[in-house]
Coordinates of all heavy atoms in Angstrom, one line a residue:
A102 N 4.9 -10.9 -1.7 CA 5.2 -10.9 -0.3 C 4.0 -11.2 0.5 O 4.1 -12.0 1.5 CB 5.8 -9.5 0.1
G103 N 2.8 -10.7 0.2 CA 1.6 -10.9 1.0 C 1.3 -12.4 1.1 O 1.0 -12.9 2.2
Q104 N 1.3 -13.1 -0.1 CA 1.0 -14.5 -0.1 C 2.1 -15.3 0.7 O 1.7 -16.3 1.3 CB 0.9 -15.0 -1.5 CG -0.5 -14.7 -2.1 CD -0.4 -13.7 -3.2 OE1 0.3 -12.7 -3.0 NE2 -1.1 -13.9 -4.3
I105 N 3.3 -14.9 0.5 CA 4.4 -15.7 1.2 C 4.1 -15.6 2.8 O 4.2 -16.6 3.5 CB 5.8 -15.1 0.9 CG1 6.1 -15.5 -0.6 CG2 6.8 -15.6 1.8 CD1 7.3 -14.8 -1.1
F106 N 3.8 -14.4 3.3 CA 3.6 -14.3 4.7 C 2.3 -15.0 5.1 O 2.2 -15.5 6.3 CB 3.8 -12.9 5.2 CG 5.3 -12.5 5.3 CD1 6.0 -12.0 4.3 CD2 6.0 -12.9 6.5 CE1 7.3 -11.7 4.3 CE2 7.3 -12.6 6.6 CZ 8.0 -12.1 5.5
E107 N 1.3 -14.9 4.3 CA 0.1 -15.7 4.6 C 0.4 -17.2 4.8 O -0.1 -17.8 5.6 CB -1.0 -15.4 3.6 CG -1.8 -14.1 3.8 CD -2.1 -13.9 5.3 OE1 -2.7 -14.7 5.9 OE2 -1.7 -12.8 5.8
R108 N 1.2 -17.7 3.9 CA 1.5 -19.1 4.0 C 2.3 -19.4 5.2 O 2.1 -20.4 5.9 CB 2.3 -19.6 2.7 CG 2.6 -21.1 2.7 CD 3.4 -21.5 1.5 NE 2.6 -21.6 0.3 CZ 2.1 -22.8 -0.1 NH1 2.4 -23.9 0.5 NH2 1.4 -22.8 -1.2
L109 N 3.3 -18.5 5.5 CA 4.1 -18.6 6.8 C 3.1 -18.7 8.0 O 3.3 -19.6 8.8 CB 5.0 -17.4 6.9 CG 5.7 -17.3 8.3 CD1 6.6 -18.5 8.6 CD2 6.5 -16.0 8.4
F110 N 2.1 -17.8 8.0 CA 1.3 -17.8 9.2 C 0.3 -18.9 9.2 O -0.2 -19.3 10.3 CB 0.5 -16.4 9.3 CG 1.5 -15.2 9.4 CD1 1.2 -14.0 8.8 CD2 2.7 -15.3 10.1 CE1 2.1 -12.9 8.9 CE2 3.5 -14.2 10.2 CZ 3.2 -13.1 9.6
A111 N 0.0 -19.5 8.1 CA -0.9 -20.7 8.0 C -0.1 -21.9 8.5 O -0.6 -22.7 9.2 CB -1.4 -20.9 6.6
E112 N 1.2 -22.0 8.1 CA 2.0 -23.2 8.5 C 2.5 -23.0 9.9 O 2.7 -24.1 10.6 CB 3.1 -23.3 7.5 CG 2.7 -23.8 6.2 CD 3.9 -24.3 5.3 OE1 4.9 -24.7 5.8 OE2 3.7 -24.3 4.1
I113 N 2.9 -21.8 10.3 CA 3.5 -21.6 11.6 C 2.7 -20.5 12.3 O 3.1 -19.3 12.4 CB 5.0 -21.2 11.5 CG1 5.7 -22.2 10.6 CG2 5.6 -21.1 12.9 CD1 7.2 -21.9 10.4
P114 N 1.5 -20.8 12.8 CA 0.6 -19.8 13.3 C 1.2 -18.9 14.4 O 0.9 -17.7 14.5 CB -0.7 -20.5 13.8 CG -0.6 -21.9 13.2 CD 0.8 -22.2 12.9
Q115 N 2.0 -19.6 15.3 CA 2.6 -18.9 16.4 C 3.6 -17.8 15.9 O 4.0 -16.9 16.7 CB 3.3 -19.8 17.4 CG 4.5 -20.6 16.8 CD 4.2 -21.8 16.1 OE1 3.0 -22.0 15.6 NE2 5.1 -22.7 16.0
A116 N 3.9 -17.8 14.6 CA 4.9 -16.7 14.2 C 4.2 -15.4 14.0 O 4.8 -14.3 14.0 CB 5.5 -17.2 12.8
R117 N 2.9 -15.4 13.8 CA 2.2 -14.1 13.4 C 2.4 -13.0 14.5 O 2.8 -11.9 14.1 CB 0.7 -14.4 13.3 CG 0.0 -13.2 12.7 CD -1.5 -13.4 12.7 NE -2.0 -14.4 11.7 CZ -2.3 -14.1 10.4 NH1 -2.2 -12.9 10.0 NH2 -2.8 -15.0 9.6
E118 N 2.3 -13.4 15.7 CA 2.4 -12.4 16.8 C 3.8 -11.8 16.9 O 4.0 -10.7 17.4 CB 1.9 -12.9 18.1 CG 2.8 -14.0 18.7 CD 2.2 -14.7 19.9 OE1 1.0 -14.6 20.2 OE2 3.0 -15.4 20.6
R119 N 4.8 -12.5 16.4 CA 6.2 -12.0 16.5 C 6.4 -10.8 15.6 O 7.4 -10.1 15.7 CB 7.1 -13.1 16.1 CG 7.1 -14.3 17.0 CD 8.1 -15.4 16.6 NE 7.7 -16.7 17.2 CZ 7.9 -17.9 16.6 NH1 8.5 -17.9 15.5 NH2 7.4 -19.0 17.2
F120 N 5.4 -10.6 14.7 CA 5.6 -9.4 13.8 C 4.7 -8.3 14.2 O 4.4 -7.3 13.4 CB 5.2 -9.8 12.3 CG 6.2 -10.8 11.7 CD1 6.1 -12.1 11.8 CD2 7.3 -10.2 11.0 CE1 7.1 -13.0 11.3 CE2 8.3 -11.1 10.5 CZ 8.2 -12.4 10.6
A121 N 4.2 -8.3 15.4 CA 3.3 -7.3 15.9 C 3.8 -5.9 15.8 O 3.1 -5.0 15.4 CB 2.9 -7.6 17.4
R122 N 5.1 -5.7 16.0 CA 5.7 -4.4 15.9 C 6.0 -4.0 14.4 O 6.4 -2.8 14.2 CB 6.8 -4.2 16.8 CG 8.1 -4.8 16.4 CD 9.3 -4.6 17.4 NE 10.5 -5.0 16.8 CZ 11.3 -4.2 16.2 NH1 11.1 -3.0 16.0 NH2 12.5 -4.7 15.6
D123 N 5.9 -4.9 13.5 CA 6.2 -4.6 12.1 C 5.0 -4.1 11.4 O 4.5 -4.6 10.4 CB 6.7 -5.9 11.4 CG 7.2 -5.7 10.0 OD1 7.7 -4.6 9.7 OD2 7.2 -6.6 9.2
V124 N 4.6 -2.9 11.8 CA 3.3 -2.4 11.4 C 3.3 -2.1 9.9 O 2.4 -2.5 9.1 CB 2.9 -1.1 12.2 CG1 1.6 -0.5 11.7 CG2 2.8 -1.4 13.7
G125 N 4.4 -1.5 9.4 CA 4.4 -1.1 8.0 C 4.9 -2.2 7.1 O 5.0 -2.0 5.9
G126 N 5.4 -3.3 7.7 CA 5.9 -4.4 6.8 C 7.3 -4.3 6.4 O 7.8 -5.1 5.6
S127 N 8.1 -3.4 7.0 CA 9.5 -3.2 6.6 C 10.4 -4.4 7.0 O 11.3 -4.8 6.3 CB 10.0 -1.9 7.0 OG 10.0 -1.8 8.4
I128 N 10.1 -5.0 8.2 CA 10.9 -6.1 8.7 C 10.6 -7.3 7.8 O 11.5 -8.0 7.3 CB 10.6 -6.5 10.1 CG1 11.1 -5.3 11.1 CG2 11.2 -7.8 10.5 CD1 10.7 -5.5 12.5
R129 N 9.3 -7.5 7.4 CA 9.0 -8.6 6.5 C 9.7 -8.4 5.2 O 10.2 -9.4 4.6 CB 7.4 -8.7 6.4 CG 6.8 -9.5 7.5 CD 5.3 -9.3 7.5 NE 4.9 -8.0 8.0 CZ 3.7 -7.5 8.2 NH1 2.7 -8.3 7.8 NH2 3.5 -6.3 8.6
G130 N 9.7 -7.2 4.7 CA 10.3 -6.9 3.5 C 11.8 -7.2 3.5 O 12.4 -7.7 2.6
E131 N 12.4 -6.8 4.7 CA 13.9 -7.1 4.8 C 14.2 -8.6 4.8 O 15.2 -9.0 4.2 CB 14.3 -6.4 6.1 CG 15.7 -5.9 6.1 CD 16.1 -5.3 7.5 OE1 15.3 -4.5 8.0 OE2 17.1 -5.7 8.0
M132 N 13.3 -9.3 5.5 CA 13.5 -10.8 5.6 C 13.5 -11.4 4.2 O 14.3 -12.2 3.8 CB 12.4 -11.4 6.4 CG 12.8 -11.4 7.9 SD 11.5 -12.2 8.9 CE 11.1 -13.7 8.0
L133 N 12.5 -11.0 3.5 CA 12.3 -11.6 2.1 C 13.4 -11.2 1.2 O 13.9 -12.0 0.4 CB 10.9 -11.1 1.6 CG 10.2 -12.0 0.6 CD1 10.2 -13.4 1.0 CD2 8.8 -11.4 0.4
A134 N 13.8 -9.9 1.3 CA 14.9 -9.4 0.5 C 16.2 -10.3 0.7 O 16.9 -10.6 -0.2 CB 15.2 -8.0 0.7
M135 N 16.4 -10.6 2.0 CA 17.6 -11.4 2.3 C 17.5 -12.8 1.7 O 18.5 -13.3 1.2 CB 17.8 -11.5 3.9 CG 19.1 -12.1 4.2 SD 19.4 -12.3 6.0 CE 20.0 -10.6 6.4
V136 N 16.3 -13.4 1.8 CA 16.2 -14.8 1.3 C 16.4 -14.7 -0.3 O 17.2 -15.5 -0.8 CB 14.8 -15.3 1.6 CG1 14.5 -16.6 0.7 CG2 14.6 -15.6 3.0
F137 N 15.8 -13.7 -0.9 CA 16.0 -13.6 -2.4 C 17.5 -13.4 -2.7 O 18.1 -14.0 -3.6 CB 15.1 -12.6 -3.0 CG 13.7 -12.9 -3.0 CD1 12.7 -11.9 -2.9 CD2 13.2 -14.2 -3.1 CE1 11.3 -12.2 -2.9 CE2 11.9 -14.5 -3.1 CZ 10.9 -13.5 -3.0
D138 N 18.1 -12.5 -2.0 CA 19.5 -12.2 -2.2 C 20.4 -13.4 -2.1 O 21.3 -13.7 -2.9 CB 20.1 -11.1 -1.2 CG 19.6 -9.7 -1.6 OD1 19.0 -9.5 -2.6 OD2 19.9 -8.8 -0.7
C139 N 20.1 -14.2 -1.0 CA 20.9 -15.4 -0.8 C 20.8 -16.4 -1.9 O 21.7 -17.1 -2.2 CB 20.5 -16.0 0.5 SG 21.1 -15.1 1.9
L140 N 19.6 -16.5 -2.5 CA 19.4 -17.4 -3.6 C 19.8 -17.0 -4.9 O 20.2 -17.8 -5.8 CB 17.9 -17.8 -3.6 CG 17.3 -18.5 -2.4 CD1 15.8 -18.7 -2.5 CD2 18.0 -19.9 -2.2
M141 N 19.9 -15.6 -5.1 CA 20.2 -15.1 -6.4 C 21.7 -14.7 -6.6 O 22.2 -14.6 -7.7 CB 19.3 -14.0 -6.8 CG 17.9 -14.5 -7.1 SD 16.8 -13.3 -7.8 CE 16.7 -12.1 -6.5
D142 N 22.4 -14.4 -5.5 CA 23.8 -14.0 -5.6 C 24.6 -15.3 -5.5 O 24.3 -16.2 -4.9 CB 24.2 -13.1 -4.4 CG 23.6 -11.7 -4.5 OD1 22.9 -11.5 -5.5 OD2 23.8 -10.9 -3.6
P143 N 25.7 -15.2 -6.3 CA 26.6 -16.4 -6.2 C 27.0 -16.7 -4.7 O 27.3 -15.8 -4.0 CB 27.8 -15.9 -7.0 CG 27.3 -14.8 -7.9 CD 26.2 -14.1 -7.1
G144 N 26.7 -17.9 -4.4 CA 26.9 -18.3 -3.0 C 28.4 -18.3 -2.6 O 29.2 -18.7 -3.3
G145 N 28.6 -17.7 -1.5 CA 30.0 -17.7 -1.0 C 29.9 -17.6 0.5 O 28.8 -17.7 1.1
P146 N 31.1 -17.4 1.2 CA 31.0 -17.3 2.6 C 30.2 -16.2 3.2 O 29.6 -16.3 4.2 CB 32.5 -17.1 3.0 CG 33.3 -17.1 1.8 CD 32.4 -17.3 0.6
Y147 N 30.1 -15.1 2.4 CA 29.3 -14.0 2.9 C 27.8 -14.4 3.2 O 27.3 -14.1 4.2 CB 29.4 -12.8 1.8 CG 28.5 -11.6 2.3 CD1 28.9 -10.8 3.3 CD2 27.3 -11.3 1.6 CE1 28.1 -9.7 3.7 CE2 26.6 -10.3 2.0 CZ 27.0 -9.5 3.1 OH 26.2 -8.4 3.4
Q148 N 27.2 -15.0 2.2 CA 25.8 -15.4 2.4 C 25.6 -16.4 3.5 O 24.7 -16.3 4.3 CB 25.2 -16.0 1.1 CG 24.6 -15.0 0.1 CD 25.7 -14.4 -0.7 OE1 26.8 -14.9 -0.8 NE2 25.4 -13.3 -1.4
A149 N 26.5 -17.3 3.5 CA 26.4 -18.4 4.6 C 26.6 -17.7 6.0 O 25.9 -18.1 6.9 CB 27.5 -19.5 4.4
N150 N 27.5 -16.8 6.0 CA 27.7 -16.1 7.4 C 26.6 -15.3 7.8 O 26.2 -15.3 9.0 CB 29.0 -15.3 7.3 CG 30.2 -16.1 7.4 OD1 30.2 -17.2 7.9 ND2 31.3 -15.6 6.9
I151 N 25.9 -14.5 6.9 CA 24.8 -13.7 7.3 C 23.6 -14.6 7.7 O 22.9 -14.3 8.7 CB 24.4 -12.6 6.4 CG1 24.1 -13.1 5.0 CG2 25.4 -11.4 6.4 CD1 23.5 -12.0 4.1
V152 N 23.4 -15.7 7.0 CA 22.3 -16.6 7.3 C 22.6 -17.3 8.7 O 21.7 -17.4 9.5 CB 22.0 -17.6 6.2 CG1 20.9 -18.6 6.6 CG2 21.5 -16.8 4.9
R153 N 23.8 -17.7 8.9 CA 24.1 -18.3 10.2 C 23.9 -17.3 11.3 O 23.3 -17.7 12.3 CB 25.6 -18.7 10.2 CG 26.0 -19.5 11.4 CD 27.5 -20.0 11.4 NE 27.7 -20.8 10.2 CZ 28.6 -20.5 9.2 NH1 29.3 -19.3 9.2 NH2 28.8 -21.3 8.2
T154 N 24.3 -16.1 11.1 CA 24.1 -15.0 12.2 C 22.6 -14.8 12.4 O 22.2 -14.7 13.6 CB 24.8 -13.7 11.7 OG1 26.2 -14.0 11.5 CG2 24.7 -12.6 12.8
E155 N 21.9 -14.7 11.3 CA 20.4 -14.5 11.5 C 19.8 -15.6 12.2 O 18.8 -15.4 13.0 CB 19.7 -14.2 10.1 CG 20.0 -12.8 9.6 CD 19.4 -11.7 10.5 OE1 18.6 -12.0 11.4 OE2 19.8 -10.5 10.3
R156 N 20.2 -16.9 11.9 CA 19.6 -18.0 12.5 C 19.8 -17.9 14.1 O 18.9 -18.2 14.8 CB 20.2 -19.3 12.0 CG 19.3 -20.5 12.4 CD 20.0 -21.9 12.0 NE 19.8 -22.1 10.6 CZ 20.8 -22.1 9.6 NH1 22.0 -21.8 10.0 NH2 20.5 -22.3 8.4
V157 N 21.0 -17.5 14.5 CA 21.3 -17.4 15.9 C 20.5 -16.2 16.5 O 19.8 -16.4 17.5 CB 22.8 -17.2 16.1 CG1 23.1 -16.8 17.6 CG2 23.6 -18.4 15.7
N158 N 20.4 -15.1 15.8 CA 19.6 -13.9 16.2 C 18.2 -14.3 16.4 O 17.5 -14.0 17.4 CB 19.6 -12.8 15.2 CG 21.0 -12.1 15.2 OD1 21.8 -12.2 16.1 ND2 21.2 -11.3 14.1
H159 N 17.6 -15.0 15.4 CA 16.2 -15.4 15.4 C 15.9 -16.4 16.6 O 14.9 -16.2 17.3 CB 15.8 -16.1 14.1 CG 15.5 -15.1 13.0 ND1 16.5 -14.3 12.5 CD2 14.3 -14.7 12.4 CE1 15.9 -13.5 11.6 NE2 14.6 -13.7 11.5
D160 N 16.8 -17.3 16.9 CA 16.6 -18.2 18.0 C 16.6 -17.3 19.3 O 15.7 -17.6 20.2 CB 17.8 -19.2 18.1 CG 17.5 -20.3 19.0 OD1 16.4 -20.9 19.0 OD2 18.4 -20.6 19.9
G161 N 17.4 -16.3 19.3 CA 17.4 -15.4 20.5 C 16.1 -14.7 20.7 O 15.7 -14.4 21.8
F162 N 15.4 -14.4 19.6 CA 14.1 -13.7 19.8 C 12.9 -14.6 19.6 O 11.8 -14.1 19.3 CB 14.0 -12.3 19.1 CG 14.2 -12.3 17.6 CD1 13.2 -12.8 16.8 CD2 15.3 -11.6 17.1 CE1 13.4 -12.8 15.4 CE2 15.4 -11.5 15.7 CZ 14.5 -12.1 14.8
G163 N 13.1 -15.9 19.7 CA 11.9 -16.8 19.7 C 11.6 -17.5 18.5 O 10.5 -18.2 18.5
T164 N 12.4 -17.5 17.4 CA 12.1 -18.3 16.3 C 13.2 -19.4 16.2 O 14.4 -19.1 15.9 CB 12.2 -17.4 15.0 OG1 11.1 -16.5 15.0 CG2 12.0 -18.3 13.7
P165 N 12.8 -20.6 16.5 CA 13.8 -21.7 16.5 C 14.4 -22.0 15.1 O 13.7 -21.7 14.1 CB 13.1 -22.9 17.1 CG 11.6 -22.6 17.1 CD 11.5 -21.1 17.0
A166 N 15.5 -22.6 15.1 CA 16.3 -22.8 13.9 C 15.4 -23.6 12.8 O 15.5 -23.3 11.6 CB 17.6 -23.6 14.1
E167 N 14.6 -24.6 13.3 CA 13.9 -25.3 12.2 C 12.8 -24.5 11.6 O 12.5 -24.6 10.4 CB 13.3 -26.7 12.8 CG 12.4 -26.6 13.9 CD 13.0 -26.4 15.3 OE1 14.3 -26.2 15.4 OE2 12.3 -26.5 16.3
E168 N 12.2 -23.6 12.4 CA 11.2 -22.6 11.8 C 11.9 -21.7 10.8 O 11.5 -21.4 9.7 CB 10.5 -21.8 12.9 CG 9.5 -22.7 13.7 CD 8.7 -21.8 14.7 OE1 8.8 -20.6 14.6 OE2 8.1 -22.4 15.6
F169 N 13.1 -21.2 11.3 CA 13.9 -20.3 10.5 C 14.2 -20.9 9.1 O 13.9 -20.3 8.0 CB 15.2 -19.9 11.2 CG 16.1 -19.0 10.5 CD1 16.0 -17.6 10.6 CD2 17.1 -19.5 9.6 CE1 16.8 -16.8 9.9 CE2 17.9 -18.7 8.9 CZ 17.8 -17.3 9.0
D170 N 14.7 -22.1 9.1 CA 15.0 -22.8 7.9 C 13.8 -23.1 7.0 O 13.9 -23.0 5.8 CB 15.8 -24.1 8.1 CG 17.2 -23.9 8.7 OD1 17.7 -22.8 8.6 OD2 17.8 -24.9 9.2
R171 N 12.7 -23.4 7.7 CA 11.5 -23.7 7.0 C 11.0 -22.5 6.1 O 10.4 -22.7 5.0 CB 10.4 -24.0 8.0 CG 9.0 -24.4 7.5 CD 8.9 -25.8 6.9 NE 7.8 -25.9 6.1 CZ 7.8 -26.3 4.8 NH1 8.9 -26.8 4.3 NH2 6.7 -26.3 4.1
F172 N 11.4 -21.3 6.5 CA 10.9 -20.1 5.7 C 11.4 -20.2 4.3 O 10.6 -19.8 3.4 CB 11.4 -18.8 6.4 CG 10.8 -17.6 5.8 CD1 9.5 -17.3 5.8 CD2 11.7 -16.6 5.2 CE1 8.9 -16.2 5.2 CE2 11.1 -15.5 4.6 CZ 9.8 -15.2 4.6
F173 N 12.6 -20.7 4.0 CA 13.1 -20.7 2.6 C 12.1 -21.6 1.8 O 11.8 -21.3 0.6 CB 14.5 -21.4 2.6 CG 15.6 -20.5 3.1 CD1 16.0 -20.5 4.4 CD2 16.2 -19.6 2.2 CE1 17.1 -19.7 4.8 CE2 17.2 -18.7 2.6 CZ 17.6 -18.8 3.9
W174 N 11.7 -22.7 2.4 CA 10.8 -23.6 1.6 C 9.4 -23.0 1.5 O 8.7 -23.3 0.5 CB 10.7 -25.0 2.3 CG 12.1 -25.6 2.4 CD1 12.9 -25.7 3.5 CD2 12.9 -26.1 1.3 NE1 14.1 -26.2 3.1 CE2 14.1 -26.5 1.8 CE3 12.6 -26.3 -0.1 CZ2 15.1 -27.1 1.0 CZ3 13.6 -26.9 -0.9 CH2 14.8 -27.3 -0.3
I175 N 9.0 -22.2 2.5 CA 7.7 -21.5 2.4 C 7.7 -20.5 1.2 O 6.7 -20.4 0.4 CB 7.3 -20.9 3.7 CG1 7.0 -22.0 4.7 CG2 6.2 -19.9 3.6 CD1 6.9 -21.5 6.2
V176 N 8.8 -19.8 1.1 CA 9.0 -18.9 0.0 C 8.9 -19.7 -1.4 O 8.2 -19.3 -2.3 CB 10.3 -18.1 0.1 CG1 10.6 -17.3 -1.2 CG2 10.3 -17.3 1.3
R177 N 9.6 -20.8 -1.4 CA 9.7 -21.7 -2.6 C 8.2 -22.1 -3.0 O 7.8 -22.0 -4.1 CB 10.6 -22.9 -2.4 CG 10.9 -23.7 -3.6 CD 9.9 -24.8 -3.9 NE 9.5 -25.6 -2.8 CZ 10.0 -26.8 -2.5 NH1 11.0 -27.4 -3.2 NH2 9.5 -27.5 -1.5
D178 N 7.5 -22.7 -2.0 CA 6.2 -23.2 -2.2 C 5.2 -22.2 -2.7 O 4.4 -22.4 -3.6 CB 5.6 -23.9 -1.0 CG 6.4 -25.2 -0.6 OD1 7.2 -25.7 -1.4 OD2 6.2 -25.7 0.6
T179 N 5.3 -21.0 -2.1 CA 4.4 -19.9 -2.6 C 4.7 -19.5 -4.0 O 3.8 -19.3 -4.8 CB 4.6 -18.7 -1.7 OG1 4.5 -19.1 -0.3 CG2 3.5 -17.7 -1.9
C180 N 6.0 -19.4 -4.3 CA 6.4 -19.0 -5.7 C 6.0 -20.0 -6.7 O 5.5 -19.7 -7.8 CB 7.9 -18.7 -5.8 SG 8.4 -17.2 -4.9
Q181 N 6.1 -21.3 -6.3 CA 5.7 -22.4 -7.2 C 4.2 -22.3 -7.5 O 3.8 -22.4 -8.6 CB 6.0 -23.7 -6.5 CG 5.4 -24.9 -7.3 CD 5.9 -26.2 -6.7 OE1 6.5 -26.3 -5.7 NE2 5.5 -27.3 -7.4
E182 N 3.4 -22.0 -6.4 CA 2.0 -21.9 -6.6 C 1.6 -20.7 -7.5 O 0.8 -20.8 -8.4 CB 1.3 -21.7 -5.2 CG -0.2 -21.7 -5.2 CD -0.7 -21.4 -3.8 OE1 -0.2 -22.1 -2.9 OE2 -1.5 -20.5 -3.7
L183 N 2.3 -19.6 -7.3 CA 2.0 -18.4 -8.1 C 2.5 -18.4 -9.5 O 2.0 -17.8 -10.4 CB 2.6 -17.2 -7.4 CG 2.0 -16.9 -6.0 CD1 2.7 -15.7 -5.3 CD2 0.5 -16.6 -6.1
A184 N 3.6 -19.2 -9.8 CA 4.2 -19.3 -11.1 C 3.4 -20.1 -12.1 O 3.5 -19.9 -13.3 CB 5.6 -19.8 -11.0
G185 N 2.5 -21.0 -11.6 CA 1.7 -21.8 -12.5 C 2.6 -22.6 -13.5 O 3.6 -23.1 -13.1
P186 N 2.3 -22.5 -14.8 CA 3.0 -23.3 -15.8 C 4.5 -22.8 -16.0 O 5.3 -23.5 -16.6 CB 2.2 -23.1 -17.1 CG 1.4 -21.9 -16.8 CD 1.1 -21.8 -15.4
D187 N 4.8 -21.6 -15.5 CA 6.2 -21.1 -15.6 C 7.1 -21.9 -14.6 O 8.3 -21.8 -14.7 CB 6.3 -19.6 -15.2 CG 5.6 -18.8 -16.3 OD1 5.6 -19.2 -17.4 OD2 5.0 -17.7 -15.9
W188 N 6.5 -22.7 -13.7 CA 7.4 -23.5 -12.8 C 7.8 -24.8 -13.4 O 7.1 -25.8 -13.3 CB 6.6 -23.7 -11.5 CG 7.5 -24.1 -10.3 CD1 7.8 -25.4 -9.9 CD2 8.2 -23.2 -9.4 NE1 8.7 -25.4 -8.9 CE2 8.9 -24.1 -8.5 CE3 8.3 -21.8 -9.3 CZ2 9.7 -23.5 -7.5 CZ3 9.1 -21.3 -8.3 CH2 9.8 -22.1 -7.4
T189 N 8.8 -24.7 -14.2 CA 9.3 -25.9 -15.0 C 10.1 -26.8 -14.1 O 10.6 -26.4 -13.0 CB 10.1 -25.5 -16.2 OG1 11.3 -24.8 -15.6 CG2 9.3 -24.6 -17.1
P190 N 10.4 -28.0 -14.5 CA 11.3 -28.9 -13.7 C 12.6 -28.3 -13.5 O 13.2 -28.4 -12.4 CB 11.3 -30.2 -14.5 CG 10.1 -30.2 -15.3 CD 9.8 -28.8 -15.6
E191 N 13.1 -27.5 -14.5 CA 14.4 -26.9 -14.3 C 14.4 -25.8 -13.2 O 15.3 -25.7 -12.4 CB 14.8 -26.2 -15.7 CG 16.2 -25.6 -15.7 CD 16.4 -24.8 -17.0 OE1 15.5 -24.1 -17.5 OE2 17.5 -24.9 -17.5
V192 N 13.3 -25.1 -13.2 CA 13.1 -24.1 -12.1 C 13.0 -24.7 -10.7 O 13.7 -24.3 -9.8 CB 11.8 -23.2 -12.4 CG1 11.5 -22.4 -11.2 CG2 12.0 -22.3 -13.6

Side-chain angles (χ1 to χ4, degrees):
Q104 279 110 316
I105 289 170
F106 281 92
E107 279 317 306
R108 185 182 280 263
L109 168 65
F110 300 143
E112 288 193 22
I113 309 179
Q115 66 275 22
R117 191 187 288 271
E118 67 188 18
R119 295 178 204 151
F120 290 90
R122 73 180 190 93
D123 187 26
V124 178
S127 61
I128 292 174
R129 279 167 284 181
E131 213 181 309
M132 275 182 42
L133 207 46
M135 187 180 281
V136 169
F137 290 149
D138 282 354
C139 287
L140 294 174
M141 289 189 295
D142 285 1
Y147 177 71
Q148 275 82 15
N150 283 335
I151 55 171
V152 173
R153 187 179 301 115
T154 302
E155 282 298 344
R156 192 185 285 107
V157 172
N158 288 345
H159 280 66
D160 192 47
F162 60 66
T164 294
E167 61 278 9
E168 287 183 15
F169 179 88
D170 290 348
R171 180 80 198 124
F172 188 62
F173 286 96
W174 300 105
I175 289 169
V176 173
R177 190 274 314 261
D178 291 348
T179 312
C180 290
Q181 174 172 5
E182 186 184 307
L183 297 176
D187 293 328
W188 197 266
T189 61
E191 186 187 38
V192 168

